[in-house]
Amino acid sequence: MSPRPPLAPPRTQRTVLRVVAAVLLLVLMFSLVGPVLAVRLQAQGHSAAAIGFVLMLPFATVACALPLLPRFFARFGLGPMLRAGLALETLATGLYLLSPDFRWVCAAGVLCGLGAAAAWNGTEALIAHHAPPAARGRWTGLYQTALGGALALGPFLPGLLGLGTQGALGLALAGQMGAVLICLGPAVDALEAGPPGAPAHGSGWALRQRPGLVWCALVGGVFEAGLAALSAAQGAALGWTLGAATALAGVLGMGSFLLQYPAGHAADRFGARPLLAGAAALLLLATLPLALGAPAEPWLWPAVAAWGGVGGALYTLTMIRTAQAFARQSALAGTAAVIGGYTVGGAVGPLISGSLLDRAGLPGLASGLCLLALSVAVLAWRERPAAAGDGPAG
Protein backbone atom coordinates (compact mmCIF):
# COMPACT_ATOMS: atom_id res chain seq x y z
CA MET A 1 0.00 0.00 0.00
CA SER A 2 1.40 3.41 -0.92
CA PRO A 3 2.07 5.88 1.90
CA ARG A 4 -0.59 8.46 2.65
CA PRO A 5 0.23 11.82 0.98
CA PRO A 6 0.81 14.80 3.27
CA LEU A 7 -2.15 17.05 3.95
CA ALA A 8 -2.37 20.44 2.28
CA PRO A 9 -1.70 23.25 4.79
CA PRO A 10 -5.30 24.65 4.94
CA ARG A 11 -6.70 21.18 5.55
CA THR A 12 -3.99 20.48 8.10
CA GLN A 13 -4.91 23.62 10.01
CA ARG A 14 -8.58 22.62 10.02
CA THR A 15 -7.59 19.22 11.43
CA VAL A 16 -5.47 20.88 14.11
CA LEU A 17 -8.46 23.03 15.09
CA ARG A 18 -10.57 19.87 15.26
CA VAL A 19 -8.10 18.32 17.69
CA VAL A 20 -8.04 21.54 19.73
CA ALA A 21 -11.86 21.45 19.99
CA ALA A 22 -11.70 17.85 21.20
CA VAL A 23 -9.08 18.67 23.82
CA LEU A 24 -11.06 21.68 25.06
CA LEU A 25 -14.10 19.42 25.48
CA LEU A 26 -11.91 16.97 27.38
CA VAL A 27 -10.56 19.73 29.65
CA LEU A 28 -14.10 21.00 30.34
CA MET A 29 -15.09 17.52 31.52
CA PHE A 30 -11.83 17.08 33.46
CA SER A 31 -12.47 20.28 35.42
CA LEU A 32 -15.96 19.00 36.26
CA VAL A 33 -14.69 15.67 37.61
CA GLY A 34 -12.26 16.97 40.26
CA PRO A 35 -14.78 18.82 42.47
CA VAL A 36 -17.34 16.03 42.09
CA LEU A 37 -14.79 13.45 43.21
CA ALA A 38 -13.82 15.62 46.18
CA VAL A 39 -17.47 15.88 47.29
CA ARG A 40 -18.02 12.13 46.92
CA LEU A 41 -14.86 11.24 48.82
CA GLN A 42 -15.78 13.66 51.61
CA ALA A 43 -19.24 12.11 51.87
CA GLN A 44 -17.60 8.67 52.18
CA GLY A 45 -15.68 9.93 55.21
CA HIS A 46 -12.20 10.26 53.71
CA SER A 47 -9.81 12.78 55.23
CA ALA A 48 -8.81 16.03 53.56
CA ALA A 49 -5.31 14.57 53.10
CA ALA A 50 -6.71 11.55 51.26
CA ILE A 51 -8.84 13.78 49.03
CA GLY A 52 -5.83 15.97 48.29
CA PHE A 53 -3.81 12.86 47.43
CA VAL A 54 -6.42 11.71 44.91
CA LEU A 55 -6.63 15.14 43.27
CA MET A 56 -2.83 15.40 43.13
CA LEU A 57 -2.33 12.02 41.40
CA PRO A 58 -3.15 13.16 37.82
CA PHE A 59 -0.75 16.11 38.08
CA ALA A 60 2.05 14.02 39.57
CA THR A 61 1.56 11.46 36.79
CA VAL A 62 1.75 14.21 34.15
CA ALA A 63 5.09 15.37 35.56
CA CYS A 64 6.47 11.81 35.57
CA ALA A 65 5.22 10.96 32.06
CA LEU A 66 6.34 14.08 30.19
CA PRO A 67 10.05 13.17 29.84
CA LEU A 68 9.11 9.92 28.07
CA LEU A 69 6.36 11.19 25.81
CA PRO A 70 8.31 12.61 22.83
CA ARG A 71 9.83 9.19 22.08
CA PHE A 72 6.42 7.52 22.34
CA PHE A 73 5.02 10.12 19.93
CA ALA A 74 7.88 9.33 17.54
CA ARG A 75 7.28 5.57 17.84
CA PHE A 76 3.49 5.46 17.50
CA GLY A 77 2.64 8.75 15.77
CA LEU A 78 1.20 11.97 17.10
CA GLY A 79 -2.41 11.35 16.04
CA PRO A 80 -2.70 7.85 17.56
CA MET A 81 -0.98 8.99 20.76
CA LEU A 82 -3.35 11.94 21.10
CA ARG A 83 -6.31 9.65 20.65
CA ALA A 84 -4.86 7.20 23.17
CA GLY A 85 -4.53 10.06 25.66
CA LEU A 86 -8.17 11.02 25.18
CA ALA A 87 -9.20 7.37 25.54
CA LEU A 88 -7.21 6.95 28.78
CA GLU A 89 -8.91 9.95 30.34
CA THR A 90 -12.28 8.56 29.24
CA LEU A 91 -11.43 5.19 30.79
CA ALA A 92 -10.44 6.93 34.03
CA THR A 93 -13.80 8.72 34.22
CA GLY A 94 -15.54 5.39 33.57
CA LEU A 95 -13.72 3.92 36.57
CA TYR A 96 -14.69 6.91 38.71
CA LEU A 97 -18.31 6.36 37.68
CA LEU A 98 -18.41 2.59 38.19
CA SER A 99 -16.43 2.15 41.41
CA PRO A 100 -16.33 4.29 44.55
CA ASP A 101 -13.55 2.10 45.98
CA PHE A 102 -10.59 4.28 47.00
CA ARG A 103 -8.02 2.00 45.35
CA TRP A 104 -9.80 2.11 42.00
CA VAL A 105 -10.17 5.87 42.30
CA CYS A 106 -6.39 6.16 42.77
CA ALA A 107 -5.75 3.87 39.78
CA ALA A 108 -8.09 6.00 37.70
CA GLY A 109 -6.16 9.11 38.76
CA VAL A 110 -2.96 7.64 37.33
CA LEU A 111 -4.73 6.75 34.05
CA CYS A 112 -6.16 10.27 33.93
CA GLY A 113 -2.68 11.76 34.33
CA LEU A 114 -1.20 9.58 31.58
CA GLY A 115 -3.97 10.61 29.22
CA ALA A 116 -3.74 14.28 30.15
CA ALA A 117 0.02 14.29 29.55
CA ALA A 118 -0.38 12.92 26.02
CA ALA A 119 -3.24 15.28 25.15
CA TRP A 120 -1.53 18.36 26.66
CA ASN A 121 1.87 17.75 25.07
CA GLY A 122 0.43 16.76 21.70
CA THR A 123 -1.93 19.72 21.41
CA GLU A 124 0.65 22.32 22.45
CA ALA A 125 3.13 20.84 19.95
CA LEU A 126 0.53 20.89 17.15
CA ILE A 127 -0.21 24.57 17.73
CA ALA A 128 3.48 25.41 18.02
CA HIS A 129 4.27 23.67 14.71
CA HIS A 130 1.22 24.46 12.58
CA ALA A 131 0.29 28.01 13.62
CA PRO A 132 1.23 30.50 10.88
CA PRO A 133 4.46 32.19 12.02
CA ALA A 134 2.91 35.65 11.71
CA ALA A 135 -0.05 34.62 13.90
CA ARG A 136 1.69 32.19 16.26
CA GLY A 137 1.10 34.40 19.28
CA ARG A 138 -2.60 34.86 18.57
CA TRP A 139 -3.12 31.13 18.04
CA THR A 140 -1.35 30.31 21.30
CA GLY A 141 -3.06 33.10 23.24
CA LEU A 142 -6.50 32.14 21.96
CA TYR A 143 -5.94 28.50 22.86
CA GLN A 144 -4.77 29.40 26.38
CA THR A 145 -7.79 31.69 26.83
CA ALA A 146 -10.18 28.94 25.72
CA LEU A 147 -8.39 26.48 27.99
CA GLY A 148 -8.81 28.82 30.96
CA GLY A 149 -12.48 29.27 30.14
CA ALA A 150 -13.04 25.51 30.02
CA LEU A 151 -11.26 25.00 33.35
CA ALA A 152 -13.36 27.75 34.93
CA LEU A 153 -16.73 26.59 33.52
CA GLY A 154 -16.52 22.87 34.32
CA PRO A 155 -17.09 23.06 38.09
CA PHE A 156 -20.30 25.06 37.53
CA LEU A 157 -21.96 22.44 35.29
CA PRO A 158 -23.43 20.16 38.01
CA GLY A 159 -25.16 23.13 39.65
CA LEU A 160 -26.32 24.66 36.37
CA LEU A 161 -27.74 21.34 35.13
CA GLY A 162 -29.04 20.09 38.48
CA LEU A 163 -26.90 16.94 38.44
CA GLY A 164 -25.97 14.64 41.30
CA THR A 165 -22.63 12.89 41.64
CA GLN A 166 -23.40 10.00 39.27
CA GLY A 167 -25.13 12.25 36.78
CA ALA A 168 -22.17 14.63 36.69
CA LEU A 169 -19.70 11.78 36.18
CA GLY A 170 -21.96 10.36 33.47
CA LEU A 171 -21.96 13.71 31.69
CA ALA A 172 -18.17 13.85 31.92
CA LEU A 173 -17.89 10.34 30.48
CA ALA A 174 -20.20 11.20 27.56
CA GLY A 175 -18.27 14.40 26.83
CA GLN A 176 -14.93 12.63 26.85
CA MET A 177 -16.26 9.88 24.58
CA GLY A 178 -17.32 12.65 22.22
CA ALA A 179 -13.78 14.05 22.29
CA VAL A 180 -12.42 10.64 21.25
CA LEU A 181 -14.91 10.42 18.37
CA ILE A 182 -13.93 13.90 17.13
CA CYS A 183 -10.33 12.68 16.79
CA LEU A 184 -11.09 9.56 14.77
CA GLY A 185 -9.99 9.33 11.16
CA PRO A 186 -6.92 9.37 8.91
CA ALA A 187 -6.64 13.16 8.88
CA VAL A 188 -5.71 13.14 12.58
CA ASP A 189 -3.36 10.18 12.04
CA ALA A 190 -1.47 12.21 9.42
CA LEU A 191 -0.68 15.10 11.77
CA GLU A 192 2.94 15.78 12.68
CA ALA A 193 4.61 18.32 14.95
CA GLY A 194 7.96 18.70 13.23
CA PRO A 195 9.66 18.72 9.83
CA PRO A 196 9.85 15.36 8.03
CA GLY A 197 12.77 13.29 9.33
CA ALA A 198 13.30 15.44 12.44
CA PRO A 199 15.09 13.39 15.15
CA ALA A 200 13.03 12.22 18.13
CA HIS A 201 14.52 14.07 21.09
CA GLY A 202 13.27 13.91 24.66
CA SER A 203 12.44 16.75 27.00
CA GLY A 204 15.86 16.39 28.68
CA TRP A 205 17.51 17.35 25.40
CA ALA A 206 15.20 20.36 25.07
CA LEU A 207 15.99 21.37 28.65
CA ARG A 208 19.71 21.35 27.84
CA GLN A 209 19.09 23.38 24.70
CA ARG A 210 16.93 26.08 26.32
CA PRO A 211 17.10 25.89 30.12
CA GLY A 212 16.09 29.53 30.41
CA LEU A 213 12.74 28.90 28.74
CA VAL A 214 11.97 25.99 31.05
CA TRP A 215 12.83 28.16 34.05
CA CYS A 216 10.50 30.91 32.79
CA ALA A 217 7.69 28.34 32.51
CA LEU A 218 8.45 27.10 36.04
CA VAL A 219 8.20 30.65 37.40
CA GLY A 220 4.92 31.09 35.51
CA GLY A 221 3.63 27.93 37.18
CA VAL A 222 4.59 29.27 40.62
CA PHE A 223 2.76 32.57 40.05
CA GLU A 224 -0.33 31.33 38.21
CA ALA A 225 -1.03 27.83 39.58
CA GLY A 226 1.02 27.70 42.75
CA LEU A 227 -0.33 30.83 44.45
CA ALA A 228 -4.09 30.41 43.84
CA ALA A 229 -5.06 28.63 47.06
CA LEU A 230 -2.28 30.33 49.02
CA SER A 231 -3.60 33.79 48.20
CA ALA A 232 -6.98 32.86 49.71
CA ALA A 233 -5.28 31.40 52.78
CA GLN A 234 -3.28 34.61 53.23
CA GLY A 235 -6.47 36.68 53.05
CA ALA A 236 -8.03 34.50 55.75
CA ALA A 237 -4.89 34.81 57.90
CA LEU A 238 -5.22 38.60 57.70
CA GLY A 239 -8.68 38.32 59.22
CA TRP A 240 -10.67 38.97 56.07
CA THR A 241 -14.12 37.44 55.59
CA LEU A 242 -14.45 34.15 53.71
CA GLY A 243 -15.88 35.98 50.71
CA ALA A 244 -13.03 38.48 50.56
CA ALA A 245 -10.36 35.83 51.09
CA THR A 246 -11.66 33.50 48.38
CA ALA A 247 -12.18 36.48 46.07
CA LEU A 248 -8.40 36.85 46.02
CA ALA A 249 -8.15 33.47 44.29
CA GLY A 250 -10.90 34.59 41.91
CA VAL A 251 -9.00 37.77 41.05
CA LEU A 252 -5.90 35.68 40.33
CA GLY A 253 -7.85 33.33 38.04
CA MET A 254 -9.63 36.17 36.25
CA GLY A 255 -6.35 37.93 35.59
CA SER A 256 -4.96 34.74 34.10
CA PHE A 257 -8.00 34.28 31.86
CA LEU A 258 -8.11 37.84 30.54
CA LEU A 259 -4.46 38.38 29.66
CA GLN A 260 -3.59 35.33 27.52
CA TYR A 261 -4.86 36.51 24.13
CA PRO A 262 -3.57 40.11 24.53
CA ALA A 263 -0.16 38.65 25.40
CA GLY A 264 -0.18 36.47 22.30
CA HIS A 265 -1.34 39.32 20.09
CA ALA A 266 1.42 41.55 21.42
CA ALA A 267 3.98 38.77 20.82
CA ASP A 268 3.05 38.71 17.13
CA ARG A 269 3.86 42.41 16.93
CA PHE A 270 6.82 42.86 19.26
CA GLY A 271 8.23 39.34 19.73
CA ALA A 272 7.94 37.09 22.78
CA ARG A 273 11.47 37.66 24.09
CA PRO A 274 11.12 41.37 25.03
CA LEU A 275 7.61 40.72 26.33
CA LEU A 276 8.96 38.06 28.70
CA ALA A 277 11.29 40.67 30.15
CA GLY A 278 8.42 43.17 30.32
CA ALA A 279 6.17 40.66 32.09
CA ALA A 280 8.89 40.00 34.64
CA ALA A 281 9.26 43.74 35.24
CA LEU A 282 5.50 44.10 35.82
CA LEU A 283 5.56 41.23 38.33
CA LEU A 284 8.47 42.89 40.10
CA LEU A 285 6.73 46.27 40.27
CA ALA A 286 3.46 44.74 41.50
CA THR A 287 5.14 42.67 44.22
CA LEU A 288 7.87 45.04 45.42
CA PRO A 289 5.62 47.21 47.65
CA LEU A 290 4.62 44.12 49.66
CA ALA A 291 8.28 43.11 49.99
CA LEU A 292 9.04 46.58 51.35
CA GLY A 293 6.34 46.22 54.01
CA ALA A 294 3.39 48.00 52.39
CA PRO A 295 0.04 47.11 54.03
CA ALA A 296 -1.74 44.11 52.54
CA GLU A 297 -4.88 46.20 52.15
CA PRO A 298 -5.00 47.48 49.43
CA TRP A 299 -1.65 46.36 47.92
CA LEU A 300 -2.40 42.62 47.92
CA TRP A 301 -5.25 43.00 45.42
CA PRO A 302 -3.24 44.43 42.47
CA ALA A 303 -0.35 42.13 43.32
CA VAL A 304 -2.58 39.03 43.14
CA ALA A 305 -4.11 40.24 39.86
CA ALA A 306 -0.59 40.55 38.43
CA TRP A 307 0.43 37.14 39.78
CA GLY A 308 -2.43 35.51 37.88
CA GLY A 309 -2.52 37.63 34.74
CA VAL A 310 1.15 38.34 34.12
CA GLY A 311 2.26 35.04 35.67
CA GLY A 312 -0.08 33.18 33.31
CA ALA A 313 1.21 35.23 30.41
CA LEU A 314 4.73 33.99 31.25
CA TYR A 315 3.63 30.48 30.28
CA THR A 316 1.92 31.67 27.10
CA LEU A 317 4.91 33.78 26.03
CA THR A 318 7.31 30.96 26.88
CA MET A 319 5.32 28.54 24.72
CA ILE A 320 5.36 31.04 21.84
CA ARG A 321 9.10 31.46 22.23
CA THR A 322 9.52 27.68 22.38
CA ALA A 323 7.59 27.27 19.13
CA GLN A 324 10.06 29.62 17.47
CA ALA A 325 13.15 28.15 19.09
CA PHE A 326 12.24 24.62 17.93
CA ALA A 327 10.70 25.61 14.58
CA ARG A 328 13.37 23.63 12.65
CA GLN A 329 13.06 20.55 14.90
CA SER A 330 10.24 18.56 16.49
CA ALA A 331 8.11 20.78 18.70
CA LEU A 332 7.22 17.83 20.94
CA ALA A 333 10.46 17.87 22.94
CA GLY A 334 10.39 21.64 23.49
CA THR A 335 6.74 21.77 24.54
CA ALA A 336 7.19 18.74 26.83
CA ALA A 337 10.06 20.48 28.63
CA VAL A 338 8.08 23.72 29.04
CA ILE A 339 4.96 21.90 30.26
CA GLY A 340 7.14 19.98 32.70
CA GLY A 341 8.62 23.22 34.03
CA TYR A 342 5.19 24.77 34.47
CA THR A 343 3.86 21.65 36.22
CA VAL A 344 6.79 21.55 38.63
CA GLY A 345 6.31 25.25 39.38
CA GLY A 346 2.62 24.76 40.12
CA ALA A 347 3.43 21.78 42.38
CA VAL A 348 6.32 23.23 44.41
CA GLY A 349 4.96 26.79 44.49
CA PRO A 350 2.57 26.23 47.42
CA LEU A 351 5.23 24.35 49.41
CA ILE A 352 7.98 26.96 49.09
CA SER A 353 5.62 29.94 49.27
CA GLY A 354 3.90 28.51 52.33
CA SER A 355 7.25 28.03 54.06
CA LEU A 356 8.23 31.63 53.31
CA LEU A 357 4.90 32.86 54.68
CA ASP A 358 5.36 30.86 57.88
CA ARG A 359 8.93 32.01 58.45
CA ALA A 360 8.92 35.61 57.19
CA GLY A 361 5.30 36.61 56.63
CA LEU A 362 3.95 38.39 53.57
CA PRO A 363 7.08 40.57 53.07
CA GLY A 364 9.22 37.41 53.00
CA LEU A 365 6.96 35.74 50.43
CA ALA A 366 6.91 38.89 48.31
CA SER A 367 10.72 39.15 48.46
CA GLY A 368 11.06 35.58 47.19
CA LEU A 369 8.61 36.28 44.36
CA CYS A 370 10.56 39.43 43.44
CA LEU A 371 13.71 37.33 43.07
CA LEU A 372 11.86 34.90 40.80
CA ALA A 373 10.59 37.77 38.63
CA LEU A 374 14.08 39.26 38.44
CA SER A 375 15.51 35.90 37.32
CA VAL A 376 13.01 35.78 34.43
CA ALA A 377 13.98 39.30 33.32
CA VAL A 378 17.67 38.36 33.26
CA LEU A 379 17.09 35.07 31.40
CA ALA A 380 14.77 36.69 28.85
CA TRP A 381 17.42 39.20 27.81
CA ARG A 382 20.06 36.46 27.66
CA GLU A 383 17.89 34.29 25.37
CA ARG A 384 19.46 33.66 21.98
CA PRO A 385 17.78 35.63 19.17
CA ALA A 386 15.67 33.61 16.76
CA ALA A 387 17.00 32.44 13.46
CA ALA A 388 15.79 34.26 10.36
CA GLY A 389 12.61 32.77 8.96
CA ASP A 390 11.23 31.49 12.23
CA GLY A 391 8.58 34.17 12.43
CA PRO A 392 8.07 37.36 14.41
CA ALA A 393 6.72 35.91 17.64
CA GLY A 394 10.05 35.17 19.20
Side-chain angles (χ1 to χ4, degrees):
M1 187 173 71
S2 60
R4 186 166 42 242
L7 299 173
R11 186 182 170 197
T12 301
Q13 291 181 359
R14 288 195 298 271
T15 306
V16 170
L17 293 176
R18 190 172 120 201
V19 171
V20 167
V23 170
L24 290 175
L25 177 59
L26 184 87
V27 169
L28 177 67
M29 296 301 120
F30 171 83
S31 68
L32 178 158
V33 167
V36 171
L37 271 184
V39 170
R40 188 174 77 177
L41 289 168
Q42 194 276 334
Q44 292 172 345
H46 292 286
S47 67
I51 296 171
F53 176 76
V54 168
L55 298 181
M56 174 273 298
L57 273 175
F59 297 96
T61 306
V62 167
C64 293
L66 280 170
L68 307 173
L69 276 178
R71 298 189 185 280
F72 277 89
F73 276 111
R75 172 68 179 83
F76 298 105
L78 190 147
M81 279 291 293
L82 263 172
R83 197 159 46 242
L86 299 177
L88 282 174
E89 286 214 52
T90 305
L91 177 60
T93 302
L95 285 175
Y96 291 143
L97 178 65
L98 293 174
S99 176
D101 184 86
F102 188 79
R103 292 165 296 183
W104 282 110
V105 170
C106 290
V110 174
L111 289 177
C112 178
L114 290 172
W120 190 359
N121 191 185
T123 309
E124 295 276 17
L126 280 176
I127 293 171
H129 182 65
H130 290 287
R136 186 179 283 141
R138 279 163 285 175
W139 274 50
T140 306
L142 186 60
Y143 172 65
Q144 298 301 333
T145 300
L147 204 62
L151 286 169
L153 176 61
F156 290 101
L157 291 179
L160 291 173
L161 301 177
L163 299 174
T165 299
Q166 293 298 97
L169 291 174
L171 172 65
L173 180 62
Q176 289 171 339
M177 290 174 67
V180 175
L181 292 175
I182 291 172
C183 286
L184 293 177
V188 174
D189 290 341
L191 289 173
E192 297 290 345
H201 294 296
S203 59
W205 172 84
L207 173 61
R208 292 190 297 272
Q209 295 295 309
R210 299 280 180 158
L213 289 178
V214 179
W215 177 257
C216 290
L218 186 149
V219 173
V222 169
F223 276 99
E224 183 185 25
L227 295 177
L230 198 63
S231 61
Q234 177 60 23
L238 292 169
W240 296 2
T241 65
L242 177 64
T246 54
L248 273 175
V251 167
L252 188 146
M254 187 58 67
S256 173
F257 173 72
L258 292 176
L259 210 58
Q260 305 313 308
Y261 183 77
H265 193 282
D268 284 334
R269 182 172 182 181
F270 302 109
R273 191 166 67 108
L275 287 177
L276 277 170
L282 285 175
L283 286 173
L284 187 61
L285 289 173
T287 310
L288 191 58
L290 294 173
L292 296 176
E297 183 104 44
W299 284 103
L300 192 55
W301 292 98
V304 166
W307 295 350
V310 185
L314 279 182
Y315 174 79
T316 298
L317 293 169
T318 302
M319 194 59 74
I320 295 167
R321 181 71 182 130
T322 300
Q324 186 179 47
F326 293 91
R328 301 173 188 274
Q329 298 141 334
S330 173
L332 285 162
T335 53
V338 167
I339 293 169
Y342 178 86
T343 305
V344 170
V348 305
L351 299 176
I352 298 175
S353 300
S355 298
L356 285 172
L357 266 177
D358 287 340
R359 294 175 180 273
L362 187 56
L365 170 62
S367 297
L369 295 177
C370 285
L371 290 176
L372 286 179
L374 188 61
S375 72
V376 170
V378 172
L379 288 171
W381 283 116
R382 292 184 61 186
E383 256 288 297
R384 296 196 300 271
D390 288 343

